Amino acid sequence: MSAVRGDRPVLAVVGATGAVGSVMREVISARPDIWGEIRLIASARSAGRLLPVRGEQVPVTELSAEAFDGVDIAMFDVPDEVSAQWAPVAAARGAVVIDKSGAFRMDPQVPLVVPEVNPAAAANRPKGIISVPNCTTLSMIVVLGVLHQAYRLRELVAASYQAASGAGQAGTDSLYDQVAAVAGHRTLGQRPGDVRAAVTDTGPFPAPLVLNVVPWAGSLKADGWSSEELKIRNETRKILGTDDIKITATCVRVPVITGHSLALHAVFDAEVDRNEAVRLLEKAPGVEVIDRPEAGVYPTPVDVAGTDPTMVGRIRQNQDDSHALELFVCGDNLRKGAALNAAQIAELLVAG
């Protein structure tokens, strides 16, 4: 599996100036120092800019074929169309590409990898590319993975509550602007249309997000489904290695800056004991159980922001089905939902 040609591998971060690229630099700086050179790559307008990583100021290199010469592993966080063009170029230059975009996730020749769930999949990469799942999928999959291994997941109904930052920096900026637009107006939200009148620019969202929830995330696909909803269905099946799980999702954007949450109704082939499931989750890598409802303690987005684990709580045995569990999970959509998972894959490749 090793993708390293020397003792100190060369890592490239493509899209180093973006929101996830910034988190990626933080993650790399905080994790074990296994890298020789770290090459920061971005568009021509950012070339020469100095960015911090591992306590040093590193100049940004312009994206080009030559930028990948000598690179062992290249982590991409760029739009789909940029990955589609440049990931094969990097792979042809000898780098193993870890791609965060949606360009290759459902390609049968590109593994979709979560190290806590399916690490062996990273070894089979005929195109030299490994995909990182969507941030919403990643916010729940380490929890579902351990339960699937024990009981075999048969059906999943998911309702997601997705942070503004899932729409990129524009989403974050828009929510802050919307908060400023309504600040001090204590009657807003009590009459039809008053929030829409106050928020004249909804940014990347189809409706005001402040003082509101928007039952839409992603782009429109067939039969009224959004791209985010189909990603949950298709990516979960691919990661767990089975196409016969019935999965349906409804994705909702909420006025939260960082941290995706999901309410999950999971049905398994085997009967599930709630206490046994909790013990499995407490031992699972990448999972933290926060479940003391009698004390008002359960995971929320403000608890996961800036942290690595997926937090799970509200773990309940379904009252009508001994094969079903109800759970609430939260994960930082910029860390485990993007940067951390890519860094873990890179470390997996180096370890061989």
Side-chain angles (χ1 to χ4, degrees), residues 65-95:
E66 293 72 24
F68 297 104
D69 288 345
V71 170
D72 294 291
I73 298 171
M75 296 193 290
F76 275 60
D77 183 66
V78 292
D80 290 9
E81 63 274 13
V82 179
S83 281
Q85 177 183 354
W86 287 101
V89 173
R93 293 269 173 161

Side-chain angles (χ1 to χ4, degrees), residues 147 150-151 268 270-281 315-318 321-325:
L147 296 176
Y151 306 113
F268 301 91
E271 288 194 347
V272 182
D273 177 79
R274 184 261 178 198
N275 292 329
E276 180 185 59
V278 169
R279 286 192 291 271
L280 290 172
L281 291 168
I315 304 168
R316 291 152 287 153
Q317 190 97 42
N318 186 277
D321 186 351
S322 62
H323 292 251
L325 282 177

